Amino acid sequence: MPLVKLAAEDDFDGWRTAARAAALIGVPPEGLHWQVGDQVADLFAGATEPPLPPAPAGAAFSVSKTFVALAETVVLHADPERFALLYAMLVRLRDQPRLIEDQTDPLRRRLEEMAKAVRRDIHKMRAFLRFREVTDADDAPRYVAWFEPEHHIVRANAGFFMRRFATMRWSILTPEIAIHWDGDTLTQGPGAARADAPEGDPIEEVWKTYYASIFNPSRLKTGAMLKEMPKKYWKNMPETALVPALIAGAQARETQMVATARTASGGDAHAALEALRAEASGCQRCPLWQPATQTVFGEGPADARLLFIGEQPGDQEDLAGRPFVGPAGQLFDRALAEAGVDRARAYVSNAVKHFKFEPRGKRRIHAKPNGGEIEACRWWIEQERAIIRPTVTVALGATAAQSLLGRAVTISRIRGQPMALADGSEGWVTVHPSFLLRLPDEDRRVEEYARFVADLRRIGERVTALADPA
C-alpha cells in the first residue's frame, strides 16, 4: 500500500500534489497511507511501504474552489485522519462534483466542522495573544508572546501579525514552532517551552488599569464570557488575573453605577476614556513617537453620537496636544457651523496619534502615514469607538477611511453614502479639510468647500434621524 510522506503538519501543497497523483492513478481512499515526516501516524503502515507512484504525464483534473479552500483549512486541523478524509472527499467529488454543496453529507459535514474548529483557533490566537516587551542584544525592543494553539495554525496565521504589527520586532513562541518578525523578514525556528517566554512587563500594569476601568458589571454574562474567552487562555493574559475579583464585585459596582447614573451621565465611559488616554500617552507601537512632541489623543464627550476621524495631528496639534486646532481644524469648525453640526457634541480624533513629518530647515512638513503606521495605531481608534459607541462615525480622508474600514478605499466611490459597520453603527466618508486648503484654484476651492459642508449637513441630519426614528 503506497505511503505519502508530507513535509509538515500544515503541508497543504504536499497533500494536494500527492492527492492529485493518487486520484489520477486510481488509488482508493483505503489504499493509501499518510504520514508527516518520520512520525508513524498509521499503525497499519509499515516501514517498507512503497512511495506513491507519480501521476501519468499530462494527466489532470479539477475540483471546485470551494473544496480547495475547505481543504486548505482542514489540513491545519490536529486530527491525524484529516489527510485521508480529504482524499476520500476528493475521490468522491471526481464523480459527484455537486457533492461539495450537500450540507447533509456526513463526510462533508465532518470536514466543515474541522474547518470551523481551525478558524475558531485562528480567531482565538488573534484575540488572546499578548506580547511582552524584552530587549534584544542590540538594545532594541522585541515583543515576545507565548501561545498554545489547538491546531497547526501558526504559519497560516503569521500574515495577520505581520500586517498588524508591521513595524515592530516580535516573536511568537508555541510548543510546535516559533516564528520571528524583524520588520522585513519572517523566520521560523523549533518549538519552545512556556519558560522561554517572558512573564510580565510594566506596560501590563497600565493595561490592567484600563481593563478594570472598562469592565462593565451591568453587562456581565459569565457564561457568554467563558464561551468567548475559555479559561485555558487565561494563564497567558494579564487582565484575566483581575476577572475573579471583578466578577465578585460586579453586583456592588452595578449598584453603584445605578446610583451614579441618577446624578451623572457617561461617568464610566469617561473614566475608560481617561484611562485609555493615559495609556496612549506612552504609546510606542510604531517609530512615529520618537520625533513627535507628544501623543495627540481624541477629545469630546464620552457619549457623543457623532465621531470624526481625521488623518493625523499636524504641526500645531503636535505642539498643543489637541486634535483639529490648526488651519485645517479651523476650516473644519467653520464648515461644521455652516452645516448646523455642533462640534461640542461630537468626538474628534485621528487615525494616527503622532505627527509624521519631514524636517525641512526649521519647518516640519507633513508626511502621509504608511499602511503599517495606520495599522499600528488602529487599535487606539477602535478602543475609542468601543467606549463611545457613536451612532455615526465619519472618516475624513483616505487615511481615516482605511483605518475605519480596514482596507484602502477610493474616496470618490464611497463618499456621501452610509455604510454599515461591523458593530452595527453607521459609517460615512468624506474629504479631509486639509484637502480643501491645498486646492490651488480658488473656484475649485469654493466648489469643494460647498460639497464638504453639504456632506456634513447630511451627516448631521442622519445622526438626528437615527436618534429619533419617528
Side-chain angles (χ1 to χ4, degrees), residues 60 66 73 146 168 175 188 242 430 457:
T66 302
T73 303
W146 169 256
M168 291 169 42
Q188 64 182 52
L242 306 173
T430 185
R457 184 176 294 112

Coordinates of all heavy atoms in Angstrom, one line a residue, residues 60 66 73 146 168 175 188 242 430 457:
A60 N -4.6 15.4 -15.7 CA -5.0 16.4 -14.8 C -6.6 16.3 -14.6 O -7.3 15.7 -15.4 CB -4.6 17.8 -15.3
T66 N -14.4 25.9 -3.9 CA -14.9 25.7 -2.5 C -14.2 24.5 -1.8 O -13.8 24.7 -0.6 CB -16.4 25.4 -2.6 OG1 -17.1 26.4 -3.3 CG2 -17.0 25.2 -1.2
T73 N -8.0 24.7 4.8 CA -8.2 25.0 6.2 C -8.2 23.7 7.0 O -7.5 23.6 8.0 CB -9.6 25.7 6.4 OG1 -9.6 26.9 5.6 CG2 -9.8 26.0 7.8
W146 N 3.6 34.1 24.1 CA 3.5 32.6 24.2 C 2.1 32.2 23.9 O 1.2 32.9 24.4 CB 3.9 32.2 25.6 CG 3.6 30.8 25.9 CD1 2.6 30.3 26.6 CD2 4.3 29.6 25.4 NE1 2.6 28.9 26.7 CE2 3.7 28.5 25.9 CE3 5.4 29.4 24.6 CZ2 4.1 27.2 25.7 CZ3 5.9 28.1 24.3 CH2 5.2 27.0 24.9
M168 N 7.0 46.5 14.2 CA 7.5 46.0 15.5 C 8.4 44.8 15.2 O 8.2 44.1 14.2 CB 6.4 45.6 16.4 CG 5.6 46.7 17.0 SD 4.1 46.1 17.9 CE 4.7 44.7 18.8
P175 N 4.5 25.6 21.4 CA 5.2 24.3 21.6 C 5.7 23.6 20.3 O 6.6 22.8 20.3 CB 4.1 23.4 22.3 CG 3.2 24.4 22.9 CD 3.2 25.6 22.0
Q188 N 11.5 31.2 11.0 CA 10.9 30.3 12.0 C 11.9 29.4 12.6 O 13.0 29.2 12.0 CB 9.8 29.5 11.3 CG 10.4 28.6 10.2 CD 9.3 27.8 9.5 OE1 8.3 28.4 9.0 NE2 9.4 26.5 9.4
L242 N -7.5 39.8 36.9 CA -8.5 40.7 37.6 C -9.9 40.1 37.5 O -10.7 40.6 38.3 CB -8.4 42.0 36.9 CG -7.1 42.7 36.7 CD1 -7.2 44.0 35.8 CD2 -6.5 43.1 38.1
T430 N -15.9 61.3 3.8 CA -15.8 62.5 3.0 C -14.4 62.9 3.0 O -13.5 62.2 3.5 CB -16.8 63.6 3.6 OG1 -16.7 64.7 2.7 CG2 -16.3 64.0 5.0
R457 N -23.7 68.5 6.5 CA -25.2 68.7 6.8 C -26.0 67.4 6.7 O -26.8 67.1 7.6 CB -25.7 69.8 5.8 CG -27.2 70.2 6.1 CD -27.7 71.3 5.2 NE -27.0 72.5 5.4 CZ -26.1 73.1 4.6 NH1 -25.9 72.5 3.4 NH2 -25.5 74.2 4.8

